[in-house]
Amino acid sequence: MTDKKPERRKSARVYLKPDIATALLKSEKFSTEIFAKILNVSQGGFGLGIQRQDGIKIVPGDSFVIEDILGRKELRNDKKITISVRWVLDYHGMGSLGAGCCFKEVDSLYMEKITKFIEDNI
């Protein structure tokens, strides 16, 4: 028998298959663009899977601008979306790392779009 753990997250999330949606990230910290798989979506932000790249170390507090989202048109936005890294899962030996990112700068229309996406996919 297993005990069900209480949900500690503030908002519901939709989990995506890793190849469904990809975010193109830019940062002043890195000279290269970073492609990140969107693993989950909530009203608070995105859970990302990021392939390891030489010279790129992502840490909590890093900020990124999402230049584009490929694969799921429901997640695209014409205006700037800025996210901030809240946590990183970085296990040595793995080909990628995980990052929990919160929305830092996003317009209200996009938040409505995210809310509808979650409601439609839960």
Side-chain angles (χ1 to χ4, degrees):
M1 186 160 115
T2 61
D3 293 327
K4 185 173 176 141
K5 293 182 181 180
E7 180 60 62
R8 295 183 303 169
R9 294 183 169 133
K10 290 181 184 178
S11 54
R13 64 199 62 243
V14 172
Y15 294 91
L16 304 175
K17 292 181 182 177
D19 294 327
I20 297 262
T22 301
L24 173 60
L25 309 176
K26 292 217 102 188
S27 171
E28 293 178 6
K29 182 177 171 181
F30 306 110
S31 60
T32 183
E33 296 173 332
I34 297 172
F35 289 91
K37 304 290 183 185
I38 300 175
L39 304 176
N40 65 65
V41 179
S42 75
Q43 289 178 317
F46 293 135
L48 302 176
I50 303 169
Q51 190 73 29
R52 291 185 188 282
Q53 297 177 33
D54 289 335
I56 294 181
K57 174 116 175 98
I58 295 171
V59 296
D62 284 348
S63 290
F64 294 95
V65 173
I66 299 177
E67 293 288 318
D68 198 5
I69 295 177
L70 311 169
R72 289 299 293 254
K73 64 181 180 197
E74 309 100 301
L75 298 177
R76 295 187 78 187
N77 195 33
D78 295 331
K79 295 183 182 169
K80 179 170 132 175
I81 301 170
T82 304
I83 57 174
S84 178
V85 177
R86 298 283 307 264
W87 54 261
V88 175
L89 291 178
D90 188 3
Y91 297 114
H92 296 287
M94 300 284 293
S96 61
L97 57 95
C101 301
C102 65
F103 294 123
K104 188 174 172 182
E105 199 176 310
V106 65
D107 66 10
S108 60
L109 290 176
Y110 189 69
M111 288 308 299
E112 290 174 20
K113 192 175 191 178
I114 290 294
T115 300
K116 179 164 178 20
F117 177 81
I118 292 167
E119 289 171 354
D120 291 348
N121 289 283
I122 275 195

